[in-house]
Amino acid sequence: MEGWISITIKVVDSIMGSGKSTFAIEKMNNDTERKYIYITPFLDEITRVKHSCPNKRFVDPKNYDNEGHFQKKQDSLHNLLAAGHNIATTHSLFKQSNEETKELIQAGNYVLILDEVMDVVDHLTIKNSDRDLLFENNFLNVDDEGYITWNNNDEKTRNYDGKFNDIKHMANNRNLLFYKGSILIWTFPISIFEAFKEVYILTYLFDGQIQKYYYDLNKVDYEYYHIENSNGNYNLQKGKNKSPKIKAQYSDLIEIYDGILNDIGNDKYSLSMSWYENRNQAVTKLKNNVSNYFKHKMKAKSKDIIWTTYKDFQPKVSGKGFQRSYIAVNLRATNDHRQTKYLAYTVNRFMNPIIEGFFIERGVKLNHELWSTSELIQWIWRSSIRDNKKVYIYLPSKRMRNLLKEWLET
């Protein structure tokens, strides 16, 4: 890839609710010299940062300028960077960063605080016929490092403007890699991180996350920190927090259902995506199990419920009394559901096999079970356990159930 970069990423790896965001806000408020970019998954967190750091005068990119003229948010971001503002914005916009973004960040001597890991590697869905058309007509090429490049040497392709503009933009931005001779892999440009003076990532179980493997792939150094609360002051301490008290407090707060409704998930791959795709009758049974758990086992009211499955199968599992309580399986970093205490996690999470294979082919070591555990823990923490209140969870996958128990016990 592009070799070692000069920055060392500071990974603040502390459990949800330990004060990572509070630490970040205190840090920004106390720093009177440097400028910050705060990147978060959700709009409400942008509002929180703006209100909590009044002296920093954080701004967020808009689709309209001061005179009411439409502009792309990326152009707005660039204008704000050029003007030297402190900026709070979303993962979604930050993922569009390009060479201009990098140069503006570098010129502004910015510090990055990344609230939660973001999608830095993805499988790009494109029809085989379209992909073949682009290569056969010399629109795309592959360089020695495996990056897909757009042919800017030919006037016809250089001036192309059409349905493949996104591909053109990503190729010119050095975002695309070739995998197994046909699959396009999108990656966030590693040079963006290099442009910052410092980078902080606020997360938990980083060792199991794709962004960790992305840094390993690109030979990026990172070091671990954790948050310690000392009389209401949230301090950054080097290394991981290995205190057994951190998780011990949750053993009594998470009650895992143990009964006959779990029989549907006894096999290793039960409730995986392929299981859903090939077992219509079992999915119907699962729907009945979820209904039984909420209505009869827990006697839960809909306002106290959250549940999840794969997005494509939501209609098939959804039932009366809990259909409106669905939240996405990969939802994280939001407090919108912190009043809920009855949970149903009806999936068995595995890494995307294409992304997994992409890393393995390049010699990156993965921790599959920790990745699955991380996804599960993040989802559970959308509930009232955030406030140290007891939650009850139906976790029919035996594999996922065991991963949760192991996490609680170690």
Side-chain angles (χ1 to χ4, degrees):
M1 306 297 285
E2 296 187 4
W4 289 86
I5 66 173
S6 58
I7 196 168
T8 298
I9 309 294
K10 293 178 171 63
V11 179
V12 184
D13 194 322
S14 285
I15 198 165
M16 293 71 68
S18 60
K20 296 189 294 290
S21 296
T22 303
F23 152 77
I25 288 169
E26 289 179 357
K27 177 178 179 59
M28 293 186 292
N29 279 328
N30 292 333
D31 189 343
T32 59
E33 297 181 358
R34 299 185 299 178
K35 290 175 287 188
Y36 285 82
I37 299 178
Y38 193 96
I39 305 296
T40 177
F42 293 102
L43 296 174
D44 58 353
E45 194 66 14
I46 292 174
T47 302
R48 178 190 177 193
V49 168
K50 289 168 70 176
H51 288 168
S52 300
C53 304
N55 292 334
K56 285 292 184 182
R57 297 181 180 178
F58 272 93
V59 293
D60 54 318
K62 304 290 186 182
N63 276 133
Y64 293 89
D65 63 20
N66 291 334
E67 296 178 356
H69 299 132
F70 178 80
Q71 62 183 349
K72 291 182 179 179
K73 275 196 175 181
Q74 188 180 39
D75 292 335
S76 175
L77 172 62
H78 290 164
N79 292 335
L80 294 174
L81 286 169
H85 289 286
N86 291 296
I87 297 167
T89 189
T90 61
H91 284 192
S92 178
L93 180 59
F94 189 59
K95 283 169 61 177
Q96 299 175 34
S97 297
N98 56 23
E99 188 67 20
E100 182 180 356
T101 319
K102 184 189 83 172
E103 291 174 0
L104 289 167
I105 290 169
Q106 203 161 27
N109 294 318
Y110 278 96
V111 175
L112 172 65
I113 295 184
L114 181 60
D115 181 15
E116 286 298 343
V117 293
M118 65 182 202
D119 294 330
V120 288
V121 180
D122 203 0
H123 169 216
L124 190 67
T125 303
I126 181 174
K127 291 181 180 178
N128 292 341
S129 57
D130 287 340
R131 179 201 62 221
D132 295 342
L133 175 70
L134 290 169
F135 278 105
E136 290 169 3
N137 288 277
N138 204 30
F139 283 81
L140 295 177
N141 296 292
V142 182
D143 69 14
D144 293 339
E145 293 182 286
Y147 283 95
I148 296 170
T149 60
W150 189 267
N151 181 10
N152 290 308
N153 296 321
D154 185 278
E155 184 178 357
K156 174 187 173 183
T157 54
R158 183 173 61 250
N159 297 325
Y160 172 84
D161 184 14
K163 66 178 285 190
F164 300 118
N165 278 351
D166 284 348
I167 299 291
K168 178 182 178 181
H169 172 77
M170 286 185 279
N172 282 332
N173 198 31
R174 206 167 171 78
N175 284 137
L176 295 180
L177 283 158
F178 219 34
Y179 170 55
K180 289 197 170 180
S182 63
I183 299 171
L184 307 187
I185 300 291
W186 173 88
T187 66
F188 184 77
I190 195 68
S191 60
I192 299 297
F193 290 104
E194 185 179 18
F196 288 95
K197 287 298 180 182
E198 278 191 301
V199 174
Y200 293 83
I201 299 176
L202 315 180
T203 189
Y204 181 57
L205 295 181
F206 184 70
D207 282 344
Q209 294 170 359
I210 297 297
Q211 193 159 341
K212 189 261 190 194
Y213 309 137
Y214 159 86
Y215 285 146
D216 291 344
L217 176 68
N218 287 285
K219 298 182 172 62
V220 175
D221 260 341
Y222 47 86
E223 55 191 17
Y224 290 92
Y225 293 83
H226 66 275
I227 300 295
E228 287 190 0
N229 182 354
S230 177
N231 298 320
N233 295 315
Y234 294 89
N235 302 310
L236 197 63
Q237 301 293 327
K238 195 162 187 179
K240 297 179 182 179
N241 192 337
K242 298 181 180 180
S243 170
K245 295 180 181 179
I246 296 300
K247 288 188 291 186
Q249 61 182 312
Y250 298 114
S251 295
D252 294 331
L253 293 180
I254 301 177
E255 183 169 309
I256 306 169
Y257 170 78
D258 182 18
I260 195 170
L261 300 181
N262 285 334
D263 290 351
I264 196 170
N266 283 338
D267 293 337
K268 180 179 179 180
Y269 296 102
S270 295
L271 286 89
S272 64
M273 177 63 83
S274 60
W275 179 92
Y276 270 87
E277 291 170 342
N278 296 302
R279 290 172 175 80
N280 284 332
Q281 289 185 341
V283 172
T284 300
K285 181 180 179 182
L286 177 63
K287 173 182 177 178
N288 294 334
N289 283 1
V290 175
S291 180
N292 188 352
Y293 175 74
F294 285 140
K295 290 181 181 179
H296 304 297
K297 303 294 183 183
M298 294 290 105
K299 300 186 182 344
K301 297 178 180 179
S302 59
K303 66 180 179 66
D304 298 324
I305 291 171
I306 53 171
W307 69 281
T308 196
T309 187
Y310 304 106
K311 184 177 179 180
D312 290 346
F313 291 91
Q314 178 188 350
K316 293 187 176 182
V317 181
S318 181
K320 185 178 180 181
F322 64 91
Q323 59 187 14
R324 295 182 180 179
S325 303
Y326 171 85
I327 65 171
V329 71
N330 59 349
L331 186 65
R332 57 173 65 207
T334 178
N335 295 324
D336 291 348
H337 310 282
R338 67 189 310 159
Q339 82 287 354
T340 59
K341 60 180 179 178
Y342 301 110
L343 290 59
Y345 190 86
T346 69
V347 290
N348 184 5
R349 298 296 304 281
F350 292 91
M351 282 186 198
N352 180 315
I354 293 174
I355 302 300
E356 176 188 14
F358 170 76
F359 281 116
I360 291 174
E361 184 182 72
R362 285 159 174 77
V364 177
K365 294 182 179 179
L366 310 177
N367 188 331
H368 303 83
E369 301 298 72
L370 189 60
W371 180 87
S372 300
T373 302
S374 173
E375 293 293 303
L376 171 60
I377 297 301
Q378 285 284 352
W379 189 88
I380 291 174
W381 251 255
R382 299 313 103 215
S383 69
S384 62
I385 198 168
R386 294 184 68 85
D387 298 319
N388 291 316
K389 295 178 181 178
K390 188 164 185 175
V391 297
Y392 306 81
I393 183 167
Y394 174 46
L395 195 54
S397 164
K398 183 178 180 179
R399 172 177 169 267
M400 297 302 294
R401 202 162 57 248
N402 287 338
L403 288 176
L404 178 57
K405 291 176 179 178
E406 288 171 12
W407 177 81
L408 287 168
E409 292 168 1
T410 55

